[in-house]
Amino acid sequence: MHIQLNGEALDLPDGLSVADLLARLDLAGKRVAVELNLDIVPRSQHATTLLGDGDRVEVVHAIGGG
């Protein structure tokens, strides 16, 4: 399947979840926000939210400040 990840084309195997994508990007367990087709995906739904061909995904790193 083909998705857009942070504006870049990416080819992935079918059937991957958001959690699988984060693992492939070495971001599993990191503080990130994931947007899928303009909707935020709650962390509790990363494992059950499947990616599909043509999806647009944005992954943003959470940065603390003060």
Side-chain angles (χ1 to χ4, degrees):
M1 84 179 133
H2 306 285
I3 68 166
Q4 289 286 320
L5 175 63
N6 295 343
E8 300 289 327
L10 183 64
D11 291 322
L12 296 170
D14 291 337
L16 289 184
S17 67
V18 169
D20 296 329
L21 175 62
L22 293 176
R24 284 176 166 260
L25 299 172
D26 291 325
L27 296 174
K30 304 272 170 96
R31 293 181 50 153
V32 296
V34 178
E35 181 182 279
L36 176 60
N37 299 323
L38 302 178
D39 292 320
I40 298 294
V41 180
R43 182 181 300 270
S44 63
Q45 295 177 13
H46 285 184
T48 58
T49 301
L50 297 180
L51 300 173
D53 193 49
D55 280 347
R56 294 172 116 8
V57 181
E58 297 289 327
V59 178
V60 179
H61 297 268
I63 298 174

PDB file of all heavy atoms in Angstrom, residues 1-2 7 9 11 19 22-23 25 29 35-36 38 40 49-50 52 54 57 60 64-66:
ATOM      1  N   MET A   1       0.845  -1.171   0.000  1.00  0.00           N
ATOM      2  CA  MET A   1       0.000   0.000   0.000  1.00  0.00           C
ATOM      3  C   MET A   1       0.891   1.234   0.000  1.00  0.00           C
ATOM      4  O   MET A   1       2.044   1.185   0.418  1.00  0.00           O
ATOM      5  CB  MET A   1      -0.945  -0.033   1.195  1.00  0.00           C
ATOM      6  CG  MET A   1      -0.381   0.494   2.490  1.00  0.00           C
ATOM      7  SD  MET A   1      -1.551   0.439   3.830  1.00  0.00           S
ATOM      8  CE  MET A   1      -0.491  -0.271   5.069  1.00  0.00           C
ATOM      9  N   HIS A   2       0.341   2.330  -0.466  1.00  0.00           N
ATOM     10  CA  HIS A   2       1.062   3.594  -0.547  1.00  0.00           C
ATOM     11  C   HIS A   2       0.400   4.590   0.394  1.00  0.00           C
ATOM     12  O   HIS A   2      -0.815   4.776   0.342  1.00  0.00           O
ATOM     13  CB  HIS A   2       1.024   4.163  -1.967  1.00  0.00           C
ATOM     14  CG  HIS A   2       1.504   3.193  -3.003  1.00  0.00           C
ATOM     15  ND1 HIS A   2       2.831   2.891  -3.170  1.00  0.00           N
ATOM     16  CD2 HIS A   2       0.836   2.455  -3.910  1.00  0.00           C
ATOM     17  CE1 HIS A   2       2.955   2.009  -4.145  1.00  0.00           C
ATOM     18  NE2 HIS A   2       1.755   1.727  -4.609  1.00  0.00           N
ATOM     19  N   GLY A   7       4.125  14.109   4.526  1.00  0.00           N
ATOM     20  CA  GLY A   7       4.274  14.695   3.199  1.00  0.00           C
ATOM     21  C   GLY A   7       5.123  13.917   2.221  1.00  0.00           C
ATOM     22  O   GLY A   7       5.250  14.303   1.074  1.00  0.00           O
ATOM     23  N   ALA A   9       5.996  10.210   0.217  1.00  0.00           N
ATOM     24  CA  ALA A   9       5.420   8.928  -0.190  1.00  0.00           C
ATOM     25  C   ALA A   9       6.177   7.785   0.489  1.00  0.00           C
ATOM     26  O   ALA A   9       7.392   7.833   0.635  1.00  0.00           O
ATOM     27  CB  ALA A   9       5.503   8.776  -1.705  1.00  0.00           C
ATOM     28  N   ASP A  11       5.938   3.337   0.790  1.00  0.00           N
ATOM     29  CA  ASP A  11       5.319   2.049   0.463  1.00  0.00           C
ATOM     30  C   ASP A  11       5.437   1.134   1.673  1.00  0.00           C
ATOM     31  O   ASP A  11       6.518   0.989   2.239  1.00  0.00           O
ATOM     32  CB  ASP A  11       6.013   1.392  -0.727  1.00  0.00           C
ATOM     33  CG  ASP A  11       5.755   2.147  -2.025  1.00  0.00           C
ATOM     34  OD1 ASP A  11       4.628   2.640  -2.203  1.00  0.00           O
ATOM     35  OD2 ASP A  11       6.676   2.233  -2.845  1.00  0.00           O
ATOM     36  N   ALA A  19       0.383   1.501  15.274  1.00  0.00           N
ATOM     37  CA  ALA A  19       1.441   1.012  16.172  1.00  0.00           C
ATOM     38  C   ALA A  19       2.549   0.324  15.380  1.00  0.00           C
ATOM     39  O   ALA A  19       3.733   0.501  15.692  1.00  0.00           O
ATOM     40  CB  ALA A  19       0.860   0.055  17.209  1.00  0.00           C
ATOM     41  N   LEU A  22       4.678   3.022  13.780  1.00  0.00           N
ATOM     42  CA  LEU A  22       5.560   3.656  14.759  1.00  0.00           C
ATOM     43  C   LEU A  22       6.737   2.747  15.102  1.00  0.00           C
ATOM     44  O   LEU A  22       7.868   3.219  15.263  1.00  0.00           O
ATOM     45  CB  LEU A  22       4.776   4.032  16.015  1.00  0.00           C
ATOM     46  CG  LEU A  22       3.734   5.134  15.823  1.00  0.00           C
ATOM     47  CD1 LEU A  22       2.963   5.358  17.116  1.00  0.00           C
ATOM     48  CD2 LEU A  22       4.363   6.422  15.324  1.00  0.00           C
ATOM     49  N   ALA A  23       6.495   1.448  15.194  1.00  0.00           N
ATOM     50  CA  ALA A  23       7.585   0.505  15.470  1.00  0.00           C
ATOM     51  C   ALA A  23       8.598   0.513  14.324  1.00  0.00           C
ATOM     52  O   ALA A  23       9.814   0.502  14.564  1.00  0.00           O
ATOM     53  CB  ALA A  23       7.030  -0.897  15.694  1.00  0.00           C
ATOM     54  N   LEU A  25       9.309   2.930  12.465  1.00  0.00           N
ATOM     55  CA  LEU A  25      10.010   4.215  12.503  1.00  0.00           C
ATOM     56  C   LEU A  25      10.842   4.377  13.772  1.00  0.00           C
ATOM     57  O   LEU A  25      11.382   5.453  14.026  1.00  0.00           O
ATOM     58  CB  LEU A  25       8.994   5.363  12.409  1.00  0.00           C
ATOM     59  CG  LEU A  25       8.143   5.421  11.146  1.00  0.00           C
ATOM     60  CD1 LEU A  25       7.065   6.487  11.277  1.00  0.00           C
ATOM     61  CD2 LEU A  25       9.004   5.678   9.921  1.00  0.00           C
ATOM     62  N   GLY A  29       6.666   3.674  21.843  1.00  0.00           N
ATOM     63  CA  GLY A  29       6.907   4.076  23.214  1.00  0.00           C
ATOM     64  C   GLY A  29       7.348   5.520  23.383  1.00  0.00           C
ATOM     65  O   GLY A  29       7.481   6.003  24.499  1.00  0.00           O
ATOM     66  N   GLU A  35      -1.651  11.836  13.453  1.00  0.00           N
ATOM     67  CA  GLU A  35      -2.842  12.301  12.756  1.00  0.00           C
ATOM     68  C   GLU A  35      -3.025  11.426  11.523  1.00  0.00           C
ATOM     69  O   GLU A  35      -2.080  11.245  10.749  1.00  0.00           O
ATOM     70  CB  GLU A  35      -2.655  13.759  12.353  1.00  0.00           C
ATOM     71  CG  GLU A  35      -3.842  14.364  11.650  1.00  0.00           C
ATOM     72  CD  GLU A  35      -3.565  15.788  11.236  1.00  0.00           C
ATOM     73  OE1 GLU A  35      -3.675  16.695  12.071  1.00  0.00           O
ATOM     74  OE2 GLU A  35      -3.209  15.972  10.039  1.00  0.00           O
ATOM     75  N   LEU A  36      -4.206  10.884  11.364  1.00  0.00           N
ATOM     76  CA  LEU A  36      -4.525  10.025  10.219  1.00  0.00           C
ATOM     77  C   LEU A  36      -5.677  10.656   9.455  1.00  0.00           C
ATOM     78  O   LEU A  36      -6.794  10.776  10.000  1.00  0.00           O
ATOM     79  CB  LEU A  36      -4.894   8.617  10.702  1.00  0.00           C
ATOM     80  CG  LEU A  36      -5.345   7.616   9.651  1.00  0.00           C
ATOM     81  CD1 LEU A  36      -4.263   7.383   8.604  1.00  0.00           C
ATOM     82  CD2 LEU A  36      -5.773   6.314  10.300  1.00  0.00           C
ATOM     83  N   LEU A  38      -6.334  13.713   8.782  1.00  0.00           N
ATOM     84  CA  LEU A  38      -6.771  14.926   9.480  1.00  0.00           C
ATOM     85  C   LEU A  38      -7.439  14.671  10.831  1.00  0.00           C
ATOM     86  O   LEU A  38      -7.947  15.609  11.454  1.00  0.00           O
ATOM     87  CB  LEU A  38      -7.692  15.776   8.597  1.00  0.00           C
ATOM     88  CG  LEU A  38      -7.100  16.222   7.261  1.00  0.00           C
ATOM     89  CD1 LEU A  38      -8.126  17.020   6.467  1.00  0.00           C
ATOM     90  CD2 LEU A  38      -5.836  17.036   7.482  1.00  0.00           C
ATOM     91  N   ILE A  40      -6.888  13.074  14.767  1.00  0.00           N
ATOM     92  CA  ILE A  40      -5.919  12.586  15.743  1.00  0.00           C
ATOM     93  C   ILE A  40      -6.292  11.168  16.142  1.00  0.00           C
ATOM     94  O   ILE A  40      -7.460  10.864  16.384  1.00  0.00           O
ATOM     95  CB  ILE A  40      -5.910  13.490  16.997  1.00  0.00           C
ATOM     96  CG1 ILE A  40      -5.476  14.911  16.627  1.00  0.00           C
ATOM     97  CG2 ILE A  40      -5.020  12.909  18.091  1.00  0.00           C
ATOM     98  CD1 ILE A  40      -4.047  15.021  16.150  1.00  0.00           C
ATOM     99  N   THR A  49      -5.962   0.721  14.985  1.00  0.00           N
ATOM    100  CA  THR A  49      -6.240   1.572  13.827  1.00  0.00           C
ATOM    101  C   THR A  49      -5.364   1.123  12.665  1.00  0.00           C
ATOM    102  O   THR A  49      -4.144   1.254  12.704  1.00  0.00           O
ATOM    103  CB  THR A  49      -5.968   3.056  14.157  1.00  0.00           C
ATOM    104  OG1 THR A  49      -6.791   3.440  15.261  1.00  0.00           O
ATOM    105  CG2 THR A  49      -6.273   3.939  12.967  1.00  0.00           C
ATOM    106  N   LEU A  50      -6.013   0.565  11.647  1.00  0.00           N
ATOM    107  CA  LEU A  50      -5.280   0.050  10.489  1.00  0.00           C
ATOM    108  C   LEU A  50      -5.100   1.134   9.440  1.00  0.00           C
ATOM    109  O   LEU A  50      -5.972   1.969   9.228  1.00  0.00           O
ATOM    110  CB  LEU A  50      -6.020  -1.138   9.879  1.00  0.00           C
ATOM    111  CG  LEU A  50      -6.168  -2.355  10.779  1.00  0.00           C
ATOM    112  CD1 LEU A  50      -6.935  -3.464  10.041  1.00  0.00           C
ATOM    113  CD2 LEU A  50      -4.821  -2.862  11.247  1.00  0.00           C
ATOM    114  N   GLY A  52      -4.572   2.315   5.483  1.00  0.00           N
ATOM    115  CA  GLY A  52      -5.064   1.888   4.183  1.00  0.00           C
ATOM    116  C   GLY A  52      -4.360   2.633   3.066  1.00  0.00           C
ATOM    117  O   GLY A  52      -3.725   3.674   3.273  1.00  0.00           O
ATOM    118  N   GLY A  54      -3.415   5.054   0.346  1.00  0.00           N
ATOM    119  CA  GLY A  54      -3.766   6.449   0.127  1.00  0.00           C
ATOM    120  C   GLY A  54      -3.903   7.278   1.399  1.00  0.00           C
ATOM    121  O   GLY A  54      -4.164   8.479   1.315  1.00  0.00           O
ATOM    122  N   VAL A  57      -0.665  10.383   6.769  1.00  0.00           N
ATOM    123  CA  VAL A  57      -0.292  10.262   8.167  1.00  0.00           C
ATOM    124  C   VAL A  57       0.714  11.352   8.517  1.00  0.00           C
ATOM    125  O   VAL A  57       1.669  11.576   7.771  1.00  0.00           O
ATOM    126  CB  VAL A  57       0.345   8.870   8.452  1.00  0.00           C
ATOM    127  CG1 VAL A  57       0.707   8.729   9.921  1.00  0.00           C
ATOM    128  CG2 VAL A  57      -0.605   7.748   8.017  1.00  0.00           C
ATOM    129  N   VAL A  60       4.042  13.667  14.818  1.00  0.00           N
ATOM    130  CA  VAL A  60       4.668  14.839  15.420  1.00  0.00           C
ATOM    131  C   VAL A  60       5.260  14.434  16.762  1.00  0.00           C
ATOM    132  O   VAL A  60       4.578  13.810  17.584  1.00  0.00           O
ATOM    133  CB  VAL A  60       3.638  15.972  15.613  1.00  0.00           C
ATOM    134  CG1 VAL A  60       4.286  17.182  16.253  1.00  0.00           C
ATOM    135  CG2 VAL A  60       2.992  16.341  14.295  1.00  0.00           C
ATOM    136  N   GLY A  64       8.761  18.903  25.283  1.00  0.00           N
ATOM    137  CA  GLY A  64       8.470  19.647  26.496  1.00  0.00           C
ATOM    138  C   GLY A  64       9.221  20.963  26.504  1.00  0.00           C
ATOM    139  O   GLY A  64      10.249  21.118  25.854  1.00  0.00           O
ATOM    140  N   GLY A  65       8.698  21.887  27.249  1.00  0.00           N
ATOM    141  CA  GLY A  65       9.366  23.176  27.336  1.00  0.00           C
ATOM    142  C   GLY A  65       8.927  23.883  28.602  1.00  0.00           C
ATOM    143  O   GLY A  65       8.094  23.414  29.336  1.00  0.00           O
ATOM    144  N   GLY A  66       9.473  25.023  28.793  1.00  0.00           N
ATOM    145  CA  GLY A  66       9.074  25.703  30.013  1.00  0.00           C
ATOM    146  C   GLY A  66       9.385  27.149  30.020  1.00  0.00           C
ATOM    147  O   GLY A  66       9.670  27.878  29.213  1.00  0.00           O
TER     148      GLY A  66
END
